[in-house]
Amino acid sequence: MTIPSEIKEKIQGIVDEIEKLKVEDDADKNDIAEEIYIIKTELLKESPSKRIIRRSLRALKAIGSVVQEKLIEQGIDQLLNSLPI
């Protein structure tokens, strides 16, 4: 089962919002960049891995700089709930 294009667009939207964050902590900045790279790489594949995208979204949600942005955190929660299993 593939990820519907509307979900892919929502994932890309959240990734875009996270990329706009002003992150002061270098460790957070590196962790965010790594997870975003993983997500973008998966989204480019013909059959992206839902498991990998879920893991990266959960990792992003746990990063302090992202947690401070409640709208992004809520968006990640909605995506995690809407990704097909």
Side-chain angles (χ1 to χ4, degrees):
M1 177 185 261
T2 186
I3 298 174
S5 60
E6 65 187 41
I7 303 276
K8 285 182 182 180
E9 289 172 15
K10 289 180 182 178
I11 293 169
Q12 186 60 53
I14 287 291
V15 167
D16 292 345
E17 289 301 312
I18 292 171
E19 287 182 315
K20 292 177 190 175
L21 291 177
K22 303 275 191 266
V23 180
E24 302 296 324
D25 185 275
D26 285 338
D28 280 1
K29 195 179 296 187
N30 291 334
D31 291 343
I32 289 169
E34 182 177 336
E35 297 304 332
I36 285 175
Y37 175 78
I38 291 169
I39 291 171
K40 285 183 171 184
T41 301
E42 281 304 309
L43 290 177
L44 291 174
K45 294 180 179 178
E46 190 172 319
S47 292
S49 169
K50 293 176 284 293
R51 182 183 59 78
I52 291 172
I53 291 174
R54 278 183 193 275
R55 188 201 60 76
S56 288
L57 287 171
R58 285 187 181 117
L60 285 168
K61 187 178 167 196
I63 297 171
S65 298
V66 175
V67 171
Q68 294 173 11
E69 299 296 325
K70 291 298 177 192
L71 287 175
I72 292 175
E73 185 180 21
Q74 291 170 354
I76 291 173
D77 286 340
Q78 289 175 354
L79 283 170
L80 288 170
N81 290 330
S82 64
L83 272 173
I85 296 175

